């Protein structure tokens, strides 16, 4: 255990083995926000929450989810300060609970990030093809997915500073378009655009709360990934926890306010029915009626870039898990190699690209519709895995600082305890509604959470012998 702790705390690798970057707090925060895909979450996930979830109460549910994630980020930020270096879930759980538990968590995290990268790659191709069809371009969803994955592969192998230059303006543009929609609703309706009904206990606890909470928390997936960029950040001891808290705060406020305004713009009593009728076109239609058809068309195109930004951010996160696992001998060491010119985890990035491509190509080649068959399963699996790990990290915060006899109770006890309770409840609700998320009645499909359990115990069994 002592050797493991020393290895995990070592921040100065040998020359040529270190990832390099010049990321600041704001850049890292936007890289993290890109994984949350604000525009994509509002345009594609929110209608599902309105229709299948608790309707107007989704606004209040996003408030609860945002509060839980803020509590999570407070404790998580303190853990990042206390345990410096790269590795995120893997590193922190290894230090707090031992190498075996850390290795098990790392395999669950890697599987979850690969699953959500697959899901986003599929949805990127589908939505881009649908959007381009309106402009007379129809090359098929698979062609667009190949284009996105080729770009992701190139940028994933480049230095992270270059990737940040691509992602940052895309994320800022997403926020700007959501701001325009919210402003147009507010200027039309004034403070009536914020209906109290949408944040009432009655609306929040109405039928469908479980689905609404799943949608809301899924919109925050990836917010913990800032710690994966520790070796590529300026002053990581400050920029990483700062970026995590900034990302969570910005996303929480933006989601809550825009969802509340959307409820006000459509009407609290009408939102559920409108979502059932318009489904995925609900928010695009709102853009069209509020700001104009030209803006709605632009937003449709920006949804494609939002999905791409999300894909690249998630690819980078999965890549860094592969690189760290390979560095600690859980995967072939060649995957830990750093590109000599780009200072990037190029081999790990290539593996992630190949795995994602294979997982999409194989079922598609034998006749399965990837959007119908694969997308729901990978999204549900990744949601369950990552939220479960967030709950585990909240427990790690409490355990670690109890050992240190730290008395900052608000940051290292109360906040993580609230997050642990709320996220654990969310894991239960996701598991209970797993069939609804996957849209399948197959025992094989709905039994996929067992894969995460199997991977965790595989890591537990193999972790000790493979760790340096």
């Amino acid at each position: 255990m002592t050797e493991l702790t020393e290895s995990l705390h070592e921040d100065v690798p040998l020359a040529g083995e270190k990832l390099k970057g010049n990321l600041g707090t704001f850049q890292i925060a936007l890289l993290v926000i890109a994984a949350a895909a604000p525009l994509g979450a509002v345009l594609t996930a929110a209608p599902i929450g309105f229709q299948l979830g608790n309707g107007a109460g989704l606004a209040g549910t996003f408030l609860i989810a945002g509060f839980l994630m803020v509590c999570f980020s407070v404790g998580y930020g303190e853990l990042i300060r206390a345990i410096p270096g790269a590795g995120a879930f893997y590193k922190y759980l290894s230090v707090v609970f031992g190498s075996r538990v850390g290795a098990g968590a790392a395999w669950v995290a890697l599987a979850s990030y690969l699953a959500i990268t697959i899901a986003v790659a599929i949805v990127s191709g589908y939505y881009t093809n649908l959007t381009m069809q309106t402009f007379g371009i129809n090359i098929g969803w698979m062609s667009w997915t190949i284009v996105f994955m080729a770009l992701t592969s190139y940028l994933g192998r480049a230095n992270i500073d270059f990737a940040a230059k691509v992602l940052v303006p895309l994320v800022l543009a997403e926020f700007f378009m959501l701001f325009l929609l919210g402003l147009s609703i507010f200027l039309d309706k004034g403070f009536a655009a914020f209906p109290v009904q949408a944040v009432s206990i009655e609306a929040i606890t109405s039928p469908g709360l479980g689905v609404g909470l799943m949608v809301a928390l899924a919109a925050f997936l990836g917010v913990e990934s800032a710690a994966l960029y520790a070796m590529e950040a300026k002053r990581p001891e400050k920029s990483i926890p700062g970026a995590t808290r900034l990302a969570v705060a910005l996303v929480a406020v933006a989601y809550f306010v825009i969802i509340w305004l959307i409820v006000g713009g459509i009407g609290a009593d009408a939102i559920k029915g409108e979502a059932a009728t318009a489904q995925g076109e609900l928010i695009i239609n709102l853009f069209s009626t509020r700001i104009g058809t030209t803006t709605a068309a632009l937003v449709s195109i920006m949804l494609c870039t939002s999905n791409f930004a999300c894909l690249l951010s998630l690819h980078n996160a999965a890549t860094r898990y592969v690189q760290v696992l390979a560095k600690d001998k859980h995967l072939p060491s060649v995957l830990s190699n750093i590109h000599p010119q780009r200072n990037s985890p190029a081999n790990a990035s290539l593996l992630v690209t190949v795995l994602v491509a294979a997982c999409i190509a194989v079922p598609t080649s034998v006749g399965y519709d990837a959007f119908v068959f694969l997308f729901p399963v990978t999204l549900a699996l990744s949601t369950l895995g990552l939220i479960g790990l967030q709950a585990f990290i909240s427990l790690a915060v409490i355990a670690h600082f109890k050992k240190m006899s730290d008395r900052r109770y608000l940051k290292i006890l109360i906040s993580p305890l609230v997050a642990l309770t709320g996220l654990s409840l969310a894991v239960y609700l996701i598991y209970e509604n797993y069939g609804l998320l996957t849209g399948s009645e197959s025992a094989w499909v709905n039994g996929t959470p067992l894969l995460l359990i199997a991977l965790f115990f595989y890591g537990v069994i193999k972790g000790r012998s493979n760790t340096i």
Side-chain angles (χ1 to χ4, degrees):
M1 179 63 191
T2 302
E3 293 179 0
L4 169 69
T5 305
E6 291 173 353
S7 172
L8 290 170
H9 276 82
E10 186 174 336
D11 296 321
V12 187
L14 297 174
E17 295 182 353
K18 184 178 180 181
L19 293 171
K20 293 183 180 179
N22 197 35
L23 299 175
T25 300
F26 186 64
Q27 289 174 305
I28 297 171
L30 291 181
L31 284 172
V32 171
I33 291 171
L39 190 63
V42 172
L43 267 63
T44 61
I48 297 173
F50 287 132
Q51 178 187 354
L52 301 178
N54 48 351
L58 185 66
T61 307
F62 264 93
L63 177 62
I64 293 172
F67 174 71
L68 287 177
M69 293 313 300
V70 167
C71 289
F72 166 78
S73 69
V74 169
Y76 186 50
E78 294 306 311
L79 198 62
I80 292 171
R81 290 181 189 276
I83 307 173
F89 288 145
Y90 168 47
K91 176 158 193 161
Y92 306 133
L93 292 174
S94 292
V95 171
V96 177
F97 296 120
S99 60
R100 289 177 178 271
V101 172
W107 281 104
V108 172
L110 177 57
S112 299
Y113 270 110
L114 285 172
I116 197 170
T117 303
I118 292 166
V120 174
I122 293 169
V123 81
S124 296
Y126 264 85
Y127 275 106
T128 301
N129 192 53
L130 289 174
T131 299
M132 292 298 104
Q133 282 179 6
T134 63
F135 298 98
I137 302 172
N138 184 10
I139 62 173
W141 74 269
M142 181 61 86
S143 297
W144 285 113
T145 295
I146 291 172
V147 169
F148 281 133
M149 288 190 62
L151 289 171
T152 300
S153 179
Y154 173 74
L155 292 173
R157 289 167 60 84
N159 182 271
I160 193 64
D161 292 334
F162 180 63
K165 290 177 181 177
V166 175
L167 286 175
V168 166
L170 293 178
V171 174
L172 291 175
E174 291 183 50
F175 276 119
F176 179 69
M177 297 310 295
L178 293 175
F179 171 77
L180 285 183
L181 176 61
L183 181 63
S184 68
I185 296 172
F186 180 74
L187 290 177
D188 177 39
K189 295 200 168 188
F191 286 101
F194 296 100
V196 176
Q197 178 184 345
V199 292
S200 67
I201 298 297
E202 181 182 1
I204 294 172
T205 57
S206 63
L209 170 60
V211 176
L213 187 59
M214 285 186 291
V215 168
L217 285 173
F220 287 88
L221 291 184
V223 295
E224 76 290 331
S225 62
L228 293 170
Y229 300 102
M231 293 179 66
E232 296 153 287
K234 295 184 293 187
R235 304 181 66 190
E237 71 282 357
K238 291 188 177 181
S239 61
I240 297 300
T244 301
R245 290 168 179 169
L246 177 61
V248 171
L250 286 175
V251 172
V253 171
Y255 280 152
F256 169 55
V257 172
I258 192 61
I259 295 297
W260 199 2
L261 283 165
I262 288 170
V263 173
I266 296 175
D269 294 326
I271 188 72
K272 198 174 184 72
E274 286 289 325
T277 301
Q279 297 187 348
E281 298 295 317
L282 179 71
I283 313 301
I284 292 292
N285 292 343
L286 191 60
F287 268 104
S288 182
T289 56
R290 290 287 173 180
I291 310 179
T293 54
T294 301
T295 302
L298 177 61
V299 169
S300 295
I301 295 173
M302 288 183 64
L303 175 58
C304 303
T305 62
S306 174
N307 286 332
F308 169 67
C310 180
L311 177 61
L312 178 56
S313 183
L314 293 170
H315 172 94
N316 285 337
T319 293
R320 279 148 184 80
Y321 267 110
V322 170
Q323 196 269 337
V324 170
L325 281 169
K327 187 177 179 182
D328 281 356
K329 310 302 182 184
H330 298 291
L331 288 170
S333 59
V334 68
L335 296 172
S336 68
N337 291 352
I338 307 302
H339 195 284
Q341 284 80 41
R342 299 168 183 167
N343 296 309
S344 66
N347 289 353
S349 176
L350 180 61
L351 176 67
V352 171
T353 300
V354 170
L355 288 175
V356 171
C359 288
I360 296 174
V362 170
T364 302
S365 65
V366 295
Y368 286 101
D369 186 324
F371 187 74
V372 174
F373 170 74
L374 193 58
F375 169 70
V377 180
T378 51
L379 183 61
L381 188 67
S382 59
T383 301
L384 184 64
L386 291 176
I387 292 177
L389 286 172
Q390 288 170 353
F392 202 1
I393 281 290
S394 297
L395 177 62
V397 174
I398 298 170
H400 179 73
F401 289 104
K402 184 179 180 181
K403 294 177 186 176
M404 303 294 106
S405 298
D406 195 312
R407 296 187 178 182
R408 294 173 297 157
Y409 296 117
L410 179 61
K411 288 184 176 181
I412 52 89
L413 178 61
I414 297 175
S415 291
L417 186 59
V418 170
L420 173 62
T421 303
L423 293 171
S424 297
L425 175 61
V427 169
Y428 169 76
L429 290 172
I430 293 169
Y431 180 76
E432 284 293 302
N433 293 274
Y434 198 76
L436 182 61
L437 274 175
T438 62
S440 174
E441 296 181 357
S442 167
W444 288 101
V445 171
N446 293 326
T448 49
L450 293 175
L451 173 63
L452 298 179
I453 297 174
L455 284 171
F456 177 79
F457 281 107
Y458 171 80
V460 168
I461 293 169
K462 301 290 289 186
R464 187 180 183 88
S465 62
N466 287 345
T467 302
I468 297 175

